[in-house]
Amino acid sequence: MKITERMLLSGNEAVALAAHNAGVALGTGYPGTPSTEILETFADLGGHAQWSPNEKTALEVGLGSAFGGGRTLVTMKHVGLNVAADPLFTAAYTGVSGALIIVSADDPGMASSQNEQDNRHYAQAACLPMLEPSDSQEAFDFMAAAIEISEQWRIPVLLRMTTRICHSKTIVKPRPLPPPSPASFQCDIQGRVMIPAYARIAHKKLRQKIKKIAAWNETSGLNKIVEGDQALGIISSGVSVVHAREAAPEASLLKLGMTHPLPLESIRCFAEKMDRCLVIEEGDPYLVDAIRAAGISVEGKDDMYRFGELNVNRVRRIVKGDVSQETPPPKGKPPQLCLGCPHRSVFEILRKLDCIVAGDIGCYTLGVLPPFEAMDSCVCMGASIGVGLGLRRVLPGEQARRVVSIIGDSTFVHSGVTGLIEMVYNPPATGHVVIIVDNGTTAMTGLQEHPATGRTLDHQPTGKVVLEDLARSIGVPNVHVIDPSKNQDQFEKILRESLQKEELTLLIARRPCILAAKKIREYEKAAEIAECECCAEMEE
């Protein structure tokens, strides 16, 4: 990326550039649309970025970095924050020494997700400050502001983005940002060790701190009023601000930049001046509920607009109070597994054997659609093994023997490992069969590396988790590795035999993703050359 005075950037790129300009010491996360490009861009700019096995690990590493005084960025998509919620809530208690910015990239409308959760609730529940940019310039500016807030108040800050902000491009005028202080560890046992005696104190301090931040937010400059007609006032945040400006350009607008804690007195003053005050927000009625709870009279949207993304036309309908049926969007081409995917045969065999399939998150989830229709459940990252084990527990023997769990290699490393341990620890009477469709990459989000590829975010060789060695080491009695496209008959034979065993079986169907295979060969060749050069230097 060439840095100039005016740049056309996506929100993700703007966040990465701000992190770079602010001297962020570490960027860590797990790839997930729509957040993935933040760390990739940060790495391209020369920042230290790395993928973690999952979001919880990423946040824990980030928290350690911030304990040490470093400026730190942790990125994930909205469902990833569920995985990271355990350290998140306690991180609010411990606080930080450096800056800790957690990006939650929400996906209203579920363009590529299994649910439509609104992560603004996490800021309220965990008692953390939250900023919501409405374009790429604000993505840059709010990333800088989040660092400043985090360092000033010694608290993690949630930077909440949505799909349109992450991927849409607008003009950004970047600027240099104040450099960080040198990283240094400061002992604070009572503040960092959350045994109950210290945590009770920390909780009270956190509540006092968030009250002070709420008072500060009234004049923080992060919330702006766009003067207009007082007949209609609109309160909004995030991408909804842009839709509201276009749908009702004559209206007065209160644009909220920090949406937790809210500047309630500023909102009250704005609302009292308006003949009609309407809250425009995407997703849940987060703002309208909080504003009404403070005794401020405002209108909200009808419940029909709680689903999917907002756009200009939908906001016009909200302004008019139009609750008539919306015109359904034109049907698009349904997604499907790549025609050359080497793992199509796995689903063909599962369907042929009439298996009951507990599925997981990844491109292979598309095995649920025609022509395969070979998946019976899909809940969240890593759930396939546990769900399969639960089915094995309760179904009659004949049905239980048809149950198979299927999971991708990246998802297995993310959160499938504990399911495999459960499989060994509490084995069902009928045994169980787990298939890892190992395509050597994180295909769904754009071919990122993970711990089982043995390469870092920038594709350099590193330590590698060998899936079959891991399974054998924890006690899985039957482990098979097979190329499903070259040995289809053998794969079917092993699967048939495994379904009849009263033992646990892990079947690794290994073949690189067709989209990644060429790049993987190039990475491996580069690593071999580097290793040879290293040996030659040692011999000299």
Side-chain angles (χ1 to χ4, degrees), residues 174-507:
R175 65 183 190 281
L177 297 173
S181 301
S184 176
F185 182 73
Q186 298 174 351
C187 182
D188 180 10
I189 294 174
Q190 188 168 332
R192 296 280 162 73
V193 183
M194 287 300 103
I195 59 174
Y198 297 160
R200 293 187 191 104
I201 297 170
H203 188 193
K204 289 178 181 176
K205 285 184 176 178
L206 174 62
R207 294 294 169 181
Q208 292 167 359
K209 186 184 293 184
I210 210 72
K211 279 185 181 178
K212 292 179 181 176
I213 295 175
W216 172 83
N217 191 27
E218 299 286 354
T219 57
S220 67
L222 295 167
N223 314 295
K224 299 185 184 304
I225 292 177
V226 180
E227 300 290 350
D229 193 337
Q230 294 189 0
L232 175 62
I234 293 177
I235 301 172
S236 191
S237 66
V239 72
S240 302
V241 168
V242 183
H243 300 322
R245 287 296 295 158
E246 190 167 344
E250 75 289 351
S252 296
L253 174 69
L254 172 56
K255 186 170 79 64
L256 298 172
M258 178 182 274
T259 49
H260 189 267
L262 284 169
L264 288 171
E265 291 310 309
S266 299
I267 293 172
R268 190 188 308 278
C269 291
F270 177 83
E272 286 177 350
K273 294 176 184 175
M274 302 297 144
D275 298 335
R276 178 191 177 203
C277 191
L278 177 63
V279 176
I280 301 291
E281 59 184 322
E282 206 169 53
D284 293 346
Y286 167 83
L287 291 176
V288 75
D289 284 354
I291 293 170
R292 284 174 174 168
I296 303 168
S297 179
V298 292
E299 292 179 36
K301 63 187 180 185
D302 187 86
D303 202 48
M304 66 181 289
Y305 298 107
R306 187 171 185 161
F307 308 100
E309 291 184 290
L310 293 184
N311 55 38
V312 176
N313 187 51
R314 296 190 88 197
V315 172
R316 287 195 181 108
R317 288 169 58 94
I318 294 171
V319 172
K320 292 177 182 175
D322 187 347
V323 293
S324 62
Q325 187 173 359
E326 296 179 275
T327 304
K331 289 185 178 179
K333 182 182 177 184
Q336 60 178 347
L337 284 173
C338 296
L339 292 177
C341 175
H343 298 283
R344 291 173 71 95
S345 58
V346 173
F347 291 99
E348 290 170 356
I349 293 169
L350 288 171
R351 180 177 168 81
K352 178 181 177 181
L353 300 185
D354 193 25
C355 291
I356 298 171
V357 180
D360 223 299
I361 306 293
C363 54
Y364 51 91
T365 312
L366 298 173
V368 71
L369 297 176
F372 310 106
E373 296 179 282
M375 192 172 289
D376 296 282
S377 72
C378 179
V379 180
C380 66
M381 292 282 282
S384 61
I385 302 178
V387 170
L389 289 168
L391 287 167
R392 286 263 182 174
R393 286 278 176 203
V394 300
L395 292 177
E398 186 177 344
Q399 286 190 27
R401 292 182 190 282
R402 293 164 47 204
V403 177
V404 173
S405 294
I406 188 164
I407 187 170
D409 49 328
S410 180
T411 311
F412 175 76
V413 174
H414 177 281
S415 49
V417 177
T418 48
L420 201 64
I421 292 171
E422 166 72 7
M423 191 169 100
V424 172
Y425 186 55
N426 293 309
T430 60
H432 189 43
V433 178
V434 173
I435 299 173
I436 297 179
V437 278
D438 182 359
N439 60 13
T441 186
T442 311
M444 188 73 165
T445 51
L447 311 178
Q448 285 76 33
E449 307 288 358
H450 60 73
T453 68
R455 292 180 294 275
T456 58
L457 182 145
D458 58 355
H459 315 296
Q460 298 304 308
T462 185
K464 180 177 181 177
V465 176
V466 180
L467 301 181
E468 51 270 36
D469 291 351
L470 173 67
R472 292 186 181 108
S473 72
I474 63 174
V476 179
N478 303 295
V479 179
H480 304 276
V481 182
I482 189 168
D483 184 334
S485 58
K486 284 189 174 179
N487 302 290
Q488 193 167 338
D489 292 341
Q490 188 184 0
F491 181 88
E492 180 177 337
K493 179 176 179 292
I494 294 173
L495 180 56
R496 281 182 183 277
E497 292 172 352
S498 300
L499 290 171
Q500 295 306 312
K501 286 183 178 177
E502 294 180 352
E503 288 184 331
L504 308 174
T505 297
L506 175 66
L507 186 50

Side-chain angles (χ1 to χ4, degrees), residues 1-3 7-21 34-45 73 75 103 135-141 143 159 161-172 174:
M1 179 189 293
K2 183 180 179 182
I3 301 175
M7 305 174 71
L8 185 61
L9 298 179
S10 69
N12 284 347
E13 292 168 334
V15 168
L17 181 57
H20 168 265
N21 286 7
S35 69
T36 310
E37 298 82 7
I38 297 175
L39 287 189
E40 292 177 330
T41 305
F42 183 58
D44 289 342
L45 289 165
L73 171 65
T75 69
V103 173
D135 58 24
S136 299
Q137 180 65 63
E138 283 196 347
F140 181 95
D141 293 339
M143 176 64 190
L159 184 65
M161 316 260 285
T162 57
T163 305
R164 298 296 155 185
I165 300 299
C166 289
H167 290 164
S168 297
K169 292 196 173 188
T170 61
I171 295 294
V172 174

